[in-house]
Amino acid sequence: MKAGHRYIDYLSMVVKRALEGRMGPFNFLIILGFFSSVVLLYISLHVHLDGILTRIEEGKREREALAEKKVRLVLIRNKLVSADRIIPLAKAAGMQPGTPDQIHRIAYCEPGEMTDRDRARWALRGGEGGIPSIPAGVPESR
């Protein structure tokens, strides 16, 4: 508290000297310029922070609107890919389910023993350590 009180005493002494005319005009202009600079800095920071707060609020509103839109789009997508919608469309287009003799290759592996990359290799090679019968990434067709 004493340090703050000392600065106020010094400030009042400077103002008193300026009012009594014991301070030169150049020193008075320097001190006046310093205080006006501090006031202008405070005002500009206040305006700048107010602009930042406004942009943050706009961003929050936009994020909430996008989250609502995402929920709506996910609901629409789920409705579009549902079996209740696709099966009647496929039947109307003349498509029929595949029969077991049309299925040429099925890959199966234990879920917990391999990584995704190992599972993909295993499926492409037709078993553990087998030589690939087809180039990687090309689906087999008969």
Side-chain angles (χ1 to χ4, degrees), residues 15-47:
V15 171
K16 183 178 177 184
R17 284 182 68 193
L19 291 175
E20 290 176 352
R22 292 189 302 167
M23 179 183 284
F26 185 70
N27 289 341
F28 179 73
L29 286 177
I30 289 175
I31 292 172
L32 183 66
F34 172 75
F35 286 118
S36 62
S37 299
V38 169
V39 169
L40 288 174
L41 178 65
Y42 173 78
I43 291 170
S44 67
L45 286 177
H46 181 71
V47 169

mmCIF file of all heavy atoms in Angstrom, residues 15-47:
data_model
loop_
_atom_site.group_PDB
_atom_site.id
_atom_site.type_symbol
_atom_site.label_atom_id
_atom_site.label_comp_id
_atom_site.label_asym_id
_atom_site.label_seq_id
_atom_site.Cartn_x
_atom_site.Cartn_y
_atom_site.Cartn_z
ATOM 1 N N VAL A 15 1.642 17.598 -10.426
ATOM 2 C CA VAL A 15 0.517 18.458 -10.797
ATOM 3 C C VAL A 15 0.625 19.801 -10.078
ATOM 4 O O VAL A 15 0.395 20.867 -10.672
ATOM 5 C CB VAL A 15 -0.820 17.751 -10.487
ATOM 6 C CG1 VAL A 15 -1.984 18.711 -10.645
ATOM 7 C CG2 VAL A 15 -0.983 16.532 -11.377
ATOM 8 N N LYS A 16 0.983 19.772 -8.803
ATOM 9 C CA LYS A 16 1.126 21.018 -8.019
ATOM 10 C C LYS A 16 2.224 21.902 -8.607
ATOM 11 O O LYS A 16 2.035 23.118 -8.757
ATOM 12 C CB LYS A 16 1.440 20.663 -6.572
ATOM 13 C CG LYS A 16 1.529 21.857 -5.666
ATOM 14 C CD LYS A 16 1.795 21.413 -4.231
ATOM 15 C CE LYS A 16 1.943 22.632 -3.346
ATOM 16 N NZ LYS A 16 2.279 22.281 -1.985
ATOM 17 N N ARG A 17 3.372 21.304 -8.989
ATOM 18 C CA ARG A 17 4.462 22.082 -9.581
ATOM 19 C C ARG A 17 4.036 22.677 -10.916
ATOM 20 O O ARG A 17 4.400 23.804 -11.247
ATOM 21 C CB ARG A 17 5.677 21.200 -9.779
ATOM 22 C CG ARG A 17 6.408 20.917 -8.473
ATOM 23 C CD ARG A 17 7.633 20.085 -8.691
ATOM 24 N NE ARG A 17 8.623 20.851 -9.432
ATOM 25 C CZ ARG A 17 9.696 20.328 -9.993
ATOM 26 N NH1 ARG A 17 9.912 19.032 -9.921
ATOM 27 N NH2 ARG A 17 10.543 21.088 -10.641
ATOM 28 N N ALA A 18 3.228 21.875 -11.698
ATOM 29 C CA ALA A 18 2.783 22.379 -13.005
ATOM 30 C C ALA A 18 1.827 23.548 -12.824
ATOM 31 O O ALA A 18 1.892 24.532 -13.570
ATOM 32 C CB ALA A 18 2.121 21.264 -13.797
ATOM 33 N N LEU A 19 0.941 23.443 -11.852
ATOM 34 C CA LEU A 19 -0.026 24.516 -11.633
ATOM 35 C C LEU A 19 0.631 25.770 -11.067
ATOM 36 O O LEU A 19 0.182 26.887 -11.342
ATOM 37 C CB LEU A 19 -1.144 24.041 -10.701
ATOM 38 C CG LEU A 19 -2.085 22.989 -11.291
ATOM 39 C CD1 LEU A 19 -3.058 22.511 -10.222
ATOM 40 C CD2 LEU A 19 -2.823 23.536 -12.493
ATOM 41 N N GLU A 20 1.667 25.617 -10.278
ATOM 42 C CA GLU A 20 2.359 26.773 -9.714
ATOM 43 C C GLU A 20 3.311 27.403 -10.710
ATOM 44 O O GLU A 20 3.823 28.494 -10.468
ATOM 45 C CB GLU A 20 3.132 26.357 -8.457
ATOM 46 C CG GLU A 20 2.243 26.007 -7.288
ATOM 47 C CD GLU A 20 3.028 25.504 -6.093
ATOM 48 O OE1 GLU A 20 4.262 25.275 -6.234
ATOM 49 O OE2 GLU A 20 2.431 25.314 -5.048
ATOM 50 N N GLY A 21 3.551 26.717 -11.812
ATOM 51 C CA GLY A 21 4.433 27.276 -12.834
ATOM 52 C C GLY A 21 5.893 26.979 -12.578
ATOM 53 O O GLY A 21 6.754 27.611 -13.177
ATOM 54 N N ARG A 22 6.215 26.092 -11.664
ATOM 55 C CA ARG A 22 7.615 25.779 -11.373
ATOM 56 C C ARG A 22 8.151 24.671 -12.284
ATOM 57 O O ARG A 22 9.301 24.300 -12.186
ATOM 58 C CB ARG A 22 7.765 25.340 -9.911
ATOM 59 C CG ARG A 22 7.503 26.481 -8.957
ATOM 60 C CD ARG A 22 7.838 26.161 -7.550
ATOM 61 N NE ARG A 22 7.070 24.984 -7.093
ATOM 62 C CZ ARG A 22 7.323 24.331 -5.996
ATOM 63 N NH1 ARG A 22 8.327 24.671 -5.231
ATOM 64 N NH2 ARG A 22 6.589 23.302 -5.639
ATOM 65 N N MET A 23 7.323 24.137 -13.170
ATOM 66 C CA MET A 23 7.762 23.099 -14.110
ATOM 67 C C MET A 23 7.838 23.742 -15.482
ATOM 68 O O MET A 23 6.971 24.521 -15.868
ATOM 69 C CB MET A 23 6.762 21.939 -14.123
ATOM 70 C CG MET A 23 7.113 20.834 -15.090
ATOM 71 S SD MET A 23 5.876 19.551 -15.126
ATOM 72 C CE MET A 23 6.214 18.713 -13.628
ATOM 73 N N GLY A 24 8.853 23.354 -16.227
ATOM 74 C CA GLY A 24 9.016 23.911 -17.564
ATOM 75 C C GLY A 24 7.938 23.390 -18.509
ATOM 76 O O GLY A 24 7.355 22.319 -18.306
ATOM 77 N N PRO A 25 7.646 24.140 -19.566
ATOM 78 C CA PRO A 25 6.598 23.733 -20.499
ATOM 79 C C PRO A 25 6.929 22.418 -21.209
ATOM 80 O O PRO A 25 6.042 21.609 -21.475
ATOM 81 C CB PRO A 25 6.500 24.884 -21.495
ATOM 82 C CG PRO A 25 7.672 25.748 -21.265
ATOM 83 C CD PRO A 25 8.223 25.429 -19.922
ATOM 84 N N PHE A 26 8.196 22.167 -21.497
ATOM 85 C CA PHE A 26 8.565 20.930 -22.170
ATOM 86 C C PHE A 26 8.305 19.720 -21.267
ATOM 87 O O PHE A 26 7.754 18.707 -21.716
ATOM 88 C CB PHE A 26 10.035 20.997 -22.588
ATOM 89 C CG PHE A 26 10.473 19.806 -23.384
ATOM 90 C CD1 PHE A 26 10.007 19.620 -24.681
ATOM 91 C CD2 PHE A 26 11.336 18.865 -22.843
ATOM 92 C CE1 PHE A 26 10.401 18.529 -25.419
ATOM 93 C CE2 PHE A 26 11.725 17.763 -23.572
ATOM 94 C CZ PHE A 26 11.257 17.592 -24.863
ATOM 95 N N ASN A 27 8.677 19.817 -20.012
ATOM 96 C CA ASN A 27 8.418 18.720 -19.068
ATOM 97 C C ASN A 27 6.915 18.492 -18.899
ATOM 98 O O ASN A 27 6.450 17.362 -18.797
ATOM 99 C CB ASN A 27 9.059 19.008 -17.711
ATOM 100 C CG ASN A 27 10.558 18.903 -17.750
ATOM 101 O OD1 ASN A 27 11.108 18.286 -18.655
ATOM 102 N ND2 ASN A 27 11.228 19.518 -16.795
ATOM 103 N N PHE A 28 6.170 19.606 -18.855
ATOM 104 C CA PHE A 28 4.722 19.477 -18.725
ATOM 105 C C PHE A 28 4.124 18.773 -19.940
ATOM 106 O O PHE A 28 3.259 17.903 -19.803
ATOM 107 C CB PHE A 28 4.088 20.863 -18.537
ATOM 108 C CG PHE A 28 2.598 20.806 -18.421
ATOM 109 C CD1 PHE A 28 2.013 20.325 -17.264
ATOM 110 C CD2 PHE A 28 1.782 21.217 -19.468
ATOM 111 C CE1 PHE A 28 0.632 20.269 -17.151
ATOM 112 C CE2 PHE A 28 0.410 21.151 -19.354
ATOM 113 C CZ PHE A 28 -0.169 20.681 -18.192
ATOM 114 N N LEU A 29 4.595 19.103 -21.149
ATOM 115 C CA LEU A 29 4.094 18.459 -22.358
ATOM 116 C C LEU A 29 4.464 16.972 -22.378
ATOM 117 O O LEU A 29 3.674 16.133 -22.831
ATOM 118 C CB LEU A 29 4.637 19.157 -23.602
ATOM 119 C CG LEU A 29 4.014 20.515 -23.925
ATOM 120 C CD1 LEU A 29 4.701 21.133 -25.147
ATOM 121 C CD2 LEU A 29 2.534 20.348 -24.187
ATOM 122 N N ILE A 30 5.633 16.632 -21.907
ATOM 123 C CA ILE A 30 6.035 15.222 -21.859
ATOM 124 C C ILE A 30 5.111 14.448 -20.925
ATOM 125 O O ILE A 30 4.621 13.357 -21.268
ATOM 126 C CB ILE A 30 7.507 15.095 -21.436
ATOM 127 C CG1 ILE A 30 8.409 15.586 -22.564
ATOM 128 C CG2 ILE A 30 7.846 13.649 -21.073
ATOM 129 C CD1 ILE A 30 9.876 15.613 -22.216
ATOM 130 N N ILE A 31 4.854 14.991 -19.755
ATOM 131 C CA ILE A 31 3.979 14.310 -18.792
ATOM 132 C C ILE A 31 2.557 14.243 -19.324
ATOM 133 O O ILE A 31 1.876 13.198 -19.232
ATOM 134 C CB ILE A 31 4.052 14.999 -17.420
ATOM 135 C CG1 ILE A 31 5.436 14.782 -16.828
ATOM 136 C CG2 ILE A 31 2.969 14.483 -16.489
ATOM 137 C CD1 ILE A 31 5.696 15.552 -15.577
ATOM 138 N N LEU A 32 2.073 15.325 -19.913
ATOM 139 C CA LEU A 32 0.735 15.331 -20.500
ATOM 140 C C LEU A 32 0.640 14.319 -21.634
ATOM 141 O O LEU A 32 -0.364 13.587 -21.746
ATOM 142 C CB LEU A 32 0.387 16.735 -21.007
ATOM 143 C CG LEU A 32 -1.004 16.922 -21.580
ATOM 144 C CD1 LEU A 32 -2.036 16.730 -20.470
ATOM 145 C CD2 LEU A 32 -1.139 18.287 -22.210
ATOM 146 N N GLY A 33 1.655 14.219 -22.459
ATOM 147 C CA GLY A 33 1.677 13.242 -23.546
ATOM 148 C C GLY A 33 1.664 11.813 -23.013
ATOM 149 O O GLY A 33 0.993 10.933 -23.574
ATOM 150 N N PHE A 34 2.396 11.566 -21.931
ATOM 151 C CA PHE A 34 2.415 10.230 -21.343
ATOM 152 C C PHE A 34 1.027 9.835 -20.858
ATOM 153 O O PHE A 34 0.550 8.729 -21.147
ATOM 154 C CB PHE A 34 3.423 10.190 -20.181
ATOM 155 C CG PHE A 34 3.363 8.914 -19.405
ATOM 156 C CD1 PHE A 34 3.898 7.748 -19.934
ATOM 157 C CD2 PHE A 34 2.758 8.878 -18.162
ATOM 158 C CE1 PHE A 34 3.838 6.572 -19.223
ATOM 159 C CE2 PHE A 34 2.699 7.706 -17.445
ATOM 160 C CZ PHE A 34 3.235 6.540 -17.970
ATOM 161 N N PHE A 35 0.375 10.728 -20.120
ATOM 162 C CA PHE A 35 -0.954 10.390 -19.603
ATOM 163 C C PHE A 35 -1.980 10.243 -20.713
ATOM 164 O O PHE A 35 -2.840 9.353 -20.676
ATOM 165 C CB PHE A 35 -1.421 11.426 -18.570
ATOM 166 C CG PHE A 35 -0.714 11.292 -17.265
ATOM 167 C CD1 PHE A 35 0.071 12.326 -16.776
ATOM 168 C CD2 PHE A 35 -0.821 10.132 -16.522
ATOM 169 C CE1 PHE A 35 0.726 12.196 -15.572
ATOM 170 C CE2 PHE A 35 -0.166 9.997 -15.318
ATOM 171 C CZ PHE A 35 0.622 11.033 -14.835
ATOM 172 N N SER A 36 -1.898 11.093 -21.729
ATOM 173 C CA SER A 36 -2.840 10.951 -22.841
ATOM 174 C C SER A 36 -2.579 9.651 -23.602
ATOM 175 O O SER A 36 -3.514 8.995 -24.073
ATOM 176 C CB SER A 36 -2.771 12.164 -23.773
ATOM 177 O OG SER A 36 -1.487 12.263 -24.344
ATOM 178 N N SER A 37 -1.301 9.246 -23.713
ATOM 179 C CA SER A 37 -0.985 7.963 -24.365
ATOM 180 C C SER A 37 -1.572 6.800 -23.574
ATOM 181 O O SER A 37 -2.098 5.846 -24.161
ATOM 182 C CB SER A 37 0.526 7.776 -24.473
ATOM 183 O OG SER A 37 1.101 8.784 -25.242
ATOM 184 N N VAL A 38 -1.484 6.852 -22.249
ATOM 185 C CA VAL A 38 -2.036 5.788 -21.420
ATOM 186 C C VAL A 38 -3.550 5.711 -21.596
ATOM 187 O O VAL A 38 -4.120 4.620 -21.723
ATOM 188 C CB VAL A 38 -1.643 6.001 -19.940
ATOM 189 C CG1 VAL A 38 -2.420 5.082 -19.017
ATOM 190 C CG2 VAL A 38 -0.157 5.805 -19.752
ATOM 191 N N VAL A 39 -4.215 6.866 -21.629
ATOM 192 C CA VAL A 39 -5.670 6.877 -21.798
ATOM 193 C C VAL A 39 -6.052 6.325 -23.173
ATOM 194 O O VAL A 39 -6.975 5.509 -23.286
ATOM 195 C CB VAL A 39 -6.233 8.304 -21.590
ATOM 196 C CG1 VAL A 39 -7.686 8.401 -22.014
ATOM 197 C CG2 VAL A 39 -6.075 8.736 -20.140
ATOM 198 N N LEU A 40 -5.356 6.746 -24.216
ATOM 199 C CA LEU A 40 -5.649 6.236 -25.564
ATOM 200 C C LEU A 40 -5.368 4.743 -25.680
ATOM 201 O O LEU A 40 -6.118 4.013 -26.344
ATOM 202 C CB LEU A 40 -4.842 7.009 -26.609
ATOM 203 C CG LEU A 40 -5.302 8.443 -26.853
ATOM 204 C CD1 LEU A 40 -4.337 9.147 -27.800
ATOM 205 C CD2 LEU A 40 -6.702 8.464 -27.409
ATOM 206 N N LEU A 41 -4.315 4.265 -25.027
ATOM 207 C CA LEU A 41 -4.024 2.843 -25.033
ATOM 208 C C LEU A 41 -5.148 2.067 -24.358
ATOM 209 O O LEU A 41 -5.588 1.027 -24.851
ATOM 210 C CB LEU A 41 -2.691 2.565 -24.325
ATOM 211 C CG LEU A 41 -2.279 1.102 -24.206
ATOM 212 C CD1 LEU A 41 -2.019 0.522 -25.589
ATOM 213 C CD2 LEU A 41 -1.065 0.964 -23.317
ATOM 214 N N TYR A 42 -5.632 2.572 -23.232
ATOM 215 C CA TYR A 42 -6.731 1.914 -22.527
ATOM 216 C C TYR A 42 -7.977 1.848 -23.410
ATOM 217 O O TYR A 42 -8.617 0.807 -23.518
ATOM 218 C CB TYR A 42 -7.045 2.653 -21.225
ATOM 219 C CG TYR A 42 -8.261 2.125 -20.530
ATOM 220 C CD1 TYR A 42 -8.207 0.953 -19.796
ATOM 221 C CD2 TYR A 42 -9.479 2.804 -20.621
ATOM 222 C CE1 TYR A 42 -9.331 0.457 -19.165
ATOM 223 C CE2 TYR A 42 -10.604 2.314 -19.990
ATOM 224 C CZ TYR A 42 -10.523 1.143 -19.270
ATOM 225 O OH TYR A 42 -11.639 0.646 -18.657
ATOM 226 N N ILE A 43 -8.302 2.956 -24.068
ATOM 227 C CA ILE A 43 -9.496 2.999 -24.918
ATOM 228 C C ILE A 43 -9.339 2.045 -26.101
ATOM 229 O O ILE A 43 -10.265 1.285 -26.431
ATOM 230 C CB ILE A 43 -9.762 4.442 -25.395
ATOM 231 C CG1 ILE A 43 -10.193 5.297 -24.209
ATOM 232 C CG2 ILE A 43 -10.821 4.475 -26.480
ATOM 233 C CD1 ILE A 43 -10.249 6.785 -24.524
ATOM 234 N N SER A 44 -8.173 2.034 -26.741
ATOM 235 C CA SER A 44 -7.995 1.156 -27.909
ATOM 236 C C SER A 44 -8.029 -0.312 -27.502
ATOM 237 O O SER A 44 -8.601 -1.137 -28.216
ATOM 238 C CB SER A 44 -6.689 1.488 -28.631
ATOM 239 O OG SER A 44 -5.580 1.163 -27.815
ATOM 240 N N LEU A 45 -7.455 -0.660 -26.354
ATOM 241 C CA LEU A 45 -7.524 -2.048 -25.895
ATOM 242 C C LEU A 45 -8.958 -2.444 -25.554
ATOM 243 O O LEU A 45 -9.375 -3.566 -25.823
ATOM 244 C CB LEU A 45 -6.613 -2.250 -24.682
ATOM 245 C CG LEU A 45 -5.123 -2.286 -24.973
ATOM 246 C CD1 LEU A 45 -4.335 -2.408 -23.676
ATOM 247 C CD2 LEU A 45 -4.772 -3.415 -25.911
ATOM 248 N N HIS A 46 -9.697 -1.522 -24.976
ATOM 249 C CA HIS A 46 -11.098 -1.809 -24.646
ATOM 250 C C HIS A 46 -11.892 -2.081 -25.924
ATOM 251 O O HIS A 46 -12.667 -3.049 -25.994
ATOM 252 C CB HIS A 46 -11.701 -0.648 -23.867
ATOM 253 C CG HIS A 46 -13.109 -0.865 -23.470
ATOM 254 N ND1 HIS A 46 -13.473 -1.761 -22.495
ATOM 255 C CD2 HIS A 46 -14.266 -0.319 -23.930
ATOM 256 C CE1 HIS A 46 -14.778 -1.761 -22.367
ATOM 257 N NE2 HIS A 46 -15.288 -0.881 -23.227
ATOM 258 N N VAL A 47 -11.706 -1.250 -26.949
ATOM 259 C CA VAL A 47 -12.413 -1.435 -28.220
ATOM 260 C C VAL A 47 -11.975 -2.744 -28.882
ATOM 261 O O VAL A 47 -12.803 -3.505 -29.389
ATOM 262 C CB VAL A 47 -12.165 -0.227 -29.155
ATOM 263 C CG1 VAL A 47 -12.649 -0.502 -30.561
ATOM 264 C CG2 VAL A 47 -12.829 1.009 -28.586
#
